[in-house]
Amino acid sequence: MYTQAMDTAPKEERAAIRSADEVVAEEVFERALDNEGFIEAKDWMPEHYRKTLVRQISQHAHSEIVGMLPEGNWITRAPTLKRKAILLAKVQDEAGHGLYLYAAGETLGTSRDQMLDALHTGKAKYSSIFNYPTLTWADVGVIGWLVDGAAIMNQIPLCRCSYAPYARAMVRVCREESFHQRQGYDSLLTMMQKGTAAQRAMVQDATNRWWWPSLMMFGPPDSQSQHSDASMRWKIKRFTNDSLRQKFVDATVPQGHYLGLTFPDPALRLDEVSGHWQFGDIDWQEFRRVLAGDGPCNRERLAARRQAYEDGAWVREAALAYAARHQPRPRREAA
Amino acid sequence: MTESPTPLWEVFIRARTGMAHRHVGSVHAADATMALQAARDVYTRRGEGHSIWVVPSAAITASDPSDKDMLFEPAASKIYRHPTFYEVPEEVDNM
């Protein structure tokens, strides 16, 4: 998903030697997990759990922030004022989601600057999906429908993640995410039902380009996923990549058919016995290539983020200098 | 990375008149005015709030989770502090 790189990173060994105190603390921690309890920021947690979460939450946050770029590309060219206002609100939401998540990451003892630095130096990953270009206006609708649809599948279980600050952030994210999917579908419905033949062809073309990358969002197949076991045991992850991917396909294919679209997969067919939509092989070579930095837009995206950060440096410095010079004015009393 | 970090603020929001302010998250901002503006943008895009407090995170003193037993166990053992500890005769009915 937004943290699919988690599954491709090499496995790390746990420290073998632990103190007696740590053994006791770990028992308390394990018991909390067994009882479906939550871990709070100041609770004891194994170092590996903390590291895994920092990586996952920061990747998730980076994905939200980088994810503003492909759609932001169309704000000035939205076809109507209504669509422009909707798109602005959606992109603003993505910024908000990134900020909720950075804040959740910071509760684990890593700083915002460290996380941003990891993104800007290419050390941290973000979702492969945002390295594809948005070529036409139909891409904006298809992103809402497919990309945000896939995100919802993955994010709803994260609301029950064992790390409470992450779970709380995800509750807020999920509340806002369904608007994102619906606005996308609504835009596609308008084009398919009231549009010209050229506009319908544009929607089909966008669907053809985004379908496979959307399926890749769920990460590598369970058989190749490196970290699923630990993440499942720690209740950071609740469902496997393949099961969520299947759930997404089952929900999405009928929605596409309702729009009057086809999917770029000749193997796609409904299995009458299981009730599931079977789909063809995913190009995992492409997935790994894009994740490793060699997708259509990787360089452009990272360059845009770096430039935004550097261009904003004088604003941050000026704000701090202003704050240092002006004593805080007495504000209205808390009430 | 020579920049000094922008301070962290905790955000509390009153969802409706009559309710208490509740912690909703945190924001980075150079000063209190900007913290309020950032909190408004980040945490109230769907009419979630009527009032916002921002507090410098560094100003918050929190209890240590490992002191939990020492701090809160005495409350659990004093069962006579709860009304259900006392039996009221049926004839007396509601009390």
Side-chain angles (χ1 to χ4, degrees), chain A residues 42-44 89 92-97 99-100 103-104 106 112-114 117 168 172 175-177 179-180 309 313 315-317 319-320 322-323 328-329 331 333-335, chain B residues 1-8 13-14 21 23-34 36 40-46 48 51 53 61-66 68:
Chain A
K42 292 183 84 183
D43 290 339
W44 184 92
Q92 192 192 14
D93 272 357
E94 306 297 1
H97 296 177
L99 294 176
Y100 306 153
E106 283 172 90
R112 177 82 52 107
D113 289 339
Q114 280 171 326
D117 195 49
R168 285 194 288 267
R172 298 188 64 90
R175 259 206 308 256
E176 299 176 351
E177 202 77 62
F179 142 61
H180 295 180
Y309 189 76
V315 179
R316 293 189 295 275
E317 279 163 29
L320 283 172
Y322 180 89
R329 273 169 296 158
R331 301 196 61 81
E333 264 181 34
Chain B
M1 296 255 299
T2 50
E3 284 181 46
S4 52
T6 307
L8 190 66
I13 289 178
R14 187 208 299 283
H21 285 75
H23 183 245
V24 294
S26 44
V27 292
H28 283 275
D31 59 30
T33 307
M34 293 182 79
L36 266 185
R40 169 196 165 277
D41 288 346
V42 176
Y43 292 104
T44 65
R45 289 192 305 282
R46 302 282 193 291
E48 293 96 330
S51 161
W53 290 349
T61 309
S63 65
D64 187 330
S66 62
K68 205 168 65 189

Side-chain angles (χ1 to χ4, degrees), chain A residues 152-171:
Chain A
I152 290 170
M153 281 295 166
N154 188 262
Q155 288 175 336
I156 285 174
L158 283 175
C159 297
R160 293 190 294 123
C161 155
S162 62
Y163 187 58
Y166 190 27
R168 285 194 288 267
M170 292 317 300
V171 169

Side-chain angles (χ1 to χ4, degrees), chain A residues 118-310:
Chain A
L119 172 68
H120 297 153
T121 55
K123 236 169 54 196
K125 301 284 180 209
Y126 55 87
S127 177
S128 62
I129 193 80
F130 302 118
N131 289 316
Y132 291 88
T134 41
L135 302 181
T136 70
W137 169 252
D139 288 38
V140 173
V142 169
I143 286 178
W145 172 41
L146 295 181
V147 176
D148 291 289
I152 290 170
M153 281 295 166
N154 188 262
Q155 288 175 336
I156 285 174
L158 283 175
C159 297
R160 293 190 294 123
C161 155
S162 62
Y163 187 58
Y166 190 27
R168 285 194 288 267
M170 292 317 300
V171 169
R172 298 188 64 90
V173 169
C174 287
R175 259 206 308 256
E176 299 176 351
E177 202 77 62
S178 95
F179 142 61
H180 295 180
Q181 191 184 20
R182 284 186 184 201
Q183 65 82 32
Y185 197 74
D186 178 75
S187 157
L188 299 179
L189 259 182
T190 305
M191 281 185 273
M192 293 303 286
Q193 293 181 346
K194 298 180 189 159
T196 61
Q199 285 169 326
R200 286 196 294 276
M202 195 167 79
V203 175
Q204 181 64 59
D205 169 66
T207 304
N208 293 348
R209 283 182 287 107
W210 288 93
W211 175 247
W212 290 110
S214 299
L215 296 191
M216 292 177 200
M217 285 177 71
F218 294 89
D222 297 345
S223 54
Q224 294 168 29
S225 183
Q226 300 282 326
H227 289 272
S228 276
D229 294 351
S231 287
M232 295 280 264
R233 198 164 47 78
W234 280 333
K235 298 183 176 164
I236 297 173
K237 198 169 176 172
R238 297 275 181 172
F239 298 97
T240 68
N241 295 350
D242 285 337
S243 67
L244 287 169
R245 185 164 19 240
Q246 184 64 54
K247 216 171 145 192
F248 171 71
V249 171
D250 290 342
T252 307
V253 169
Q255 294 166 358
H257 290 162
Y258 183 83
L259 286 169
L261 295 170
T262 60
F263 291 89
D265 179 1
L268 190 70
R269 62 171 200 90
L270 182 64
D271 178 36
E272 301 283 355
V273 182
S274 66
H276 290 303
W277 284 90
Q278 293 181 334
F279 49 95
D281 292 333
I282 294 170
D283 182 355
W284 294 114
Q285 296 283 7
E286 176 182 326
F287 168 74
R288 280 167 206 286
R289 203 173 59 237
V290 176
L291 209 55
D294 205 17
C297 298
N298 293 58
R299 287 164 198 80
E300 188 185 326
R301 299 286 186 246
L302 213 49
R305 284 316 311 156
R306 278 199 209 109
Q307 196 191 336
Y309 189 76
E310 283 160 19

Side-chain angles (χ1 to χ4, degrees), chain A residues 8-119:
Chain A
T8 58
K11 244 184 180 145
E12 283 166 43
E13 292 305 317
R14 293 180 51 186
I17 301 163
R18 290 174 297 161
S19 70
D21 281 354
E22 264 177 344
V23 173
V24 174
E26 185 151 3
E27 273 170 25
V28 174
F29 170 83
E30 297 280 351
R31 209 166 33 243
L33 292 190
D34 290 344
N35 297 330
E36 297 290 316
F38 285 109
I39 307 300
E40 290 287 353
K42 292 183 84 183
D43 290 339
W44 184 92
M45 61 187 86
E47 216 29 56
H48 198 53
Y49 176 83
R50 181 186 301 273
K51 252 165 99 180
T52 301
L53 277 167
V54 166
R55 245 193 326 213
Q56 170 154 348
I57 296 172
S58 64
Q59 277 183 23
H60 197 158
H62 298 328
S63 296
E64 301 282 356
I65 297 298
V66 176
M68 296 162 74
L69 295 170
E71 291 179 289
N73 182 32
W74 282 91
I75 290 175
T76 55
R77 293 176 287 166
T80 64
L81 188 56
K82 171 183 143 187
R83 295 290 172 198
K84 182 173 181 166
I86 292 170
L87 184 56
L88 263 174
K90 181 187 188 275
V91 173
Q92 192 192 14
D93 272 357
E94 306 297 1
H97 296 177
L99 294 176
Y100 306 153
L101 288 162
Y102 281 130
E106 283 172 90
T107 64
L108 290 158
T110 177
S111 75
R112 177 82 52 107
D113 289 339
Q114 280 171 326
M115 288 188 272
L116 291 180
D117 195 49
L119 172 68

